[in-house]
Amino acid sequence: MKTLTKKELLPIPILILISGAMFSSHFGVGDLIFPPILGRDSGTHWFTASIGYALINSIGVWLAYLACAQQNQSLSGIATKTLGNFFGKIYTAIPVLITVFFILPRVASATHEMAVLPLFPSVPLWVSLAVFFLLSFYIAFTRATVMDKLGRFLAPALIVFVVIMVIKGVASPLSTPAISGSETPLKDGMLNAYNTMNAIAALLFGGWILHELKIRNISGARNRGINLNIIGISTALLLSITSTALVYLGKSSGPAFMDASIGVLSTEIAKGLLGQAGLIGFAIIMALSCLSTSAAISSMAGDMFAEMSSEKLKYRWIVITATLAGFIIGLVGLSKIVKFTIPWLVLLYPSIIVIIITALYSKFDKIRIPVIAGVIAALIFGFGDMLSFYGITDNPISSFSASCPFGSQGIGWIIPTFIVIALIWLLTRVFPQLNQQNGKEA
């Protein structure tokens, strides 16, 4: 087996640095507030719930990075290859804009509500947001130094804090788990993981890392793919370990705070296990993790829109725009932002998963028409789920999805969607000119 040379593989310290930076970029407010709630509500079924969470939040992240490595392209490149230049860019712009308009204000509002207010209750929201986004802007503004700023401190701090809480939670839990937890723990875990947007973020961050590898003089698609795979696996493992640990904490200590709402439960557990030191430590970790997510999203958006516009939209102007948008929308508050985000996530997630899985195929160009059909089918199922979140639960799309295999777990769209892909693939085998004609149009 060929040994990688220094020119092909980043030095181990740099791989660790970038992996830590990506872990801290993914490990934002969602990974701090959703796993404990999931563990508390799942009770004795907490491990099944944590598996559902990891399927989307960790394995989904790894597969997304693997897809980018396989195609040596960002989501923009994969989407335009699949849907054509115009629709591919629109499809890419939607999740990028969601991260800017929803996730940036969410992490900033969470910092105010969960890190600032418990220690400084008189600080107004706009002051917290102003300081937060100024720091985020400072980190993201210079593209060449973003990864170094993110990776040197935060990942070790996050891991150490979670380890301390887990050890304390195992040694002296605050309560016993609910005997009768959720009846659908796997589904609940997956739906909670949807809220983090980590699988979508990984498909976006994949292109961001590829750009970083070019900056660090890693040449060749194969070499960048190998480095991205190592970074993706490391990031996914760290996310899986920390999320499972936090689900366990929710199971073992969450029932002591049954009335605690989303965002509050994590703070209460930290305070209950470690006292005032836990409250202060949690506040610092929350602020730093949210700050890293914000800077990473701003930088990624700058890279993505610069790529899609052939550098007509400049990186720094996109970072400035994203910062201002996050500040203004963040004034709405955390609970309202989370509530408004979920329907758009369930709309996009099925089609994103289709793109991730099919992009793992090395001969992706030869299945372009089946992938288009699969993306359309997945968007239709996602639209049904979106309608359900808006209260239209008896819509025919959701009813059909619920009747399909795995429908009770909220993923009834999988089998029908891949049946559509298989049927269209067979059709293109019978009429190969369909693929050829579509490739010329793209």
Side-chain angles (χ1 to χ4, degrees), residues 117 132 135 138 173 249 290 327 330 378 408 417:
L117 287 184
F132 179 91
L135 291 172
Y138 164 74
L249 282 181
C290 289
F327 173 77
S408 61
T417 298

Side-chain angles (χ1 to χ4, degrees), residues 69-328:
Q70 181 71 35
Q71 300 302 320
N72 192 40
Q73 289 181 317
S74 65
L75 173 59
S76 175
I78 297 172
T80 52
K81 183 189 293 187
T82 305
L83 304 173
N85 188 55
F86 178 75
F87 288 107
K89 288 180 178 178
I90 289 178
Y91 183 86
T92 302
I94 292 173
V96 176
L97 291 174
I98 287 177
T99 60
V100 170
F101 292 141
F102 293 155
I103 305 305
L104 285 187
R106 185 171 86 176
V107 296
S109 297
T111 301
H112 173 73
E113 295 183 18
M114 300 173 62
V116 177
L117 287 184
L119 300 177
F120 308 101
S122 62
V123 174
L125 174 61
W126 72 267
V127 172
S128 296
L129 296 184
V131 173
F132 179 91
F133 280 111
L134 282 173
L135 291 172
S136 174
F137 176 75
Y138 164 74
I139 295 171
F141 188 64
T142 304
R143 177 60 183 87
T145 61
V146 175
M147 206 69 75
D148 291 325
K149 291 174 183 174
L150 290 175
R152 292 193 182 280
F153 168 73
L154 188 54
L158 288 171
I159 293 171
V160 167
F161 183 76
V162 171
V163 167
I164 291 173
M165 282 215 305
V166 170
I167 291 174
K168 188 67 167 65
V170 171
S172 53
L174 300 176
S175 61
T176 55
I179 296 176
S180 57
S182 170
E183 296 180 359
T184 56
L186 187 69
K187 175 183 177 181
D188 293 344
M190 295 178 69
L191 288 177
N192 273 273
Y194 281 167
N195 294 333
T196 68
M197 279 194 65
N198 273 336
I200 294 179
L203 206 54
L204 298 172
F205 284 154
W208 190 49
I209 299 173
L210 288 173
H211 187 198
E212 180 72 19
L213 294 173
K214 291 178 183 178
I215 292 174
R216 295 180 184 270
N217 299 316
I218 300 297
S219 61
R222 173 183 173 275
N223 298 335
R224 288 193 291 269
I226 291 171
N227 283 276
L228 180 53
N229 270 324
I230 294 172
I231 293 166
I233 291 171
S234 302
T235 302
L237 282 174
L238 287 171
L239 286 171
S240 179
I241 293 169
T242 51
S243 66
T244 301
L246 289 173
V247 172
Y248 174 82
L249 282 181
K251 180 272 294 189
S252 62
S253 297
F257 312 101
M258 290 304 295
D259 295 329
S261 61
I262 185 171
V264 176
L265 178 62
S266 302
T267 306
E268 293 291 348
I269 291 176
K271 185 178 179 181
L273 290 173
L274 301 173
Q276 189 66 17
L279 182 62
I280 295 172
F282 181 82
I284 294 172
I285 294 300
M286 168 62 75
L288 292 177
S289 62
C290 289
L291 184 62
S292 67
T293 299
S294 175
I297 287 174
S298 299
S299 181
M300 174 276 298
D303 270 1
M304 195 67 71
F305 280 114
E307 175 189 338
M308 289 191 292
S309 66
S310 301
E311 302 296 331
K312 292 178 182 177
L313 297 174
K314 300 302 181 183
Y315 171 86
R316 287 188 169 182
W317 283 108
I318 296 300
V319 171
I320 291 171
T321 302
T323 300
L324 292 174
F327 173 77
I328 294 170

Side-chain angles (χ1 to χ4, degrees), residues 322-404:
T323 300
L324 292 174
F327 173 77
I328 294 170
I329 300 174
L331 296 173
V332 172
L334 176 60
S335 298
K336 293 180 180 178
I337 293 170
V338 171
K339 187 176 181 180
F340 188 73
T341 305
I342 294 174
W344 293 96
L345 297 181
V346 297
L347 169 67
L348 284 178
Y349 248 113
S351 62
I352 289 289
I353 292 173
V354 168
I355 288 178
I356 289 172
I357 292 174
T358 54
L360 298 174
Y361 183 50
S362 60
K363 299 179 180 178
F364 183 76
D365 290 338
K366 295 186 177 181
I367 59 169
R368 184 170 177 268
I369 297 299
V371 173
I372 292 174
V375 168
I376 293 173
L379 283 171
I380 291 172
F381 280 108
F383 181 68
D385 290 338
M386 186 181 191
L387 291 176
S388 296
F389 269 96
Y390 282 121
I392 311 174
T393 55
D394 58 346
N395 69 81
I397 301 173
S398 295
S399 298
F400 174 71
S401 179
S403 68
C404 293

Side-chain angles (χ1 to χ4, degrees), residues 29-41:
V29 57
D31 285 289
L32 281 170
I33 65 176
F34 292 119
I37 286 279
L38 177 64
R40 184 190 68 182
D41 295 344

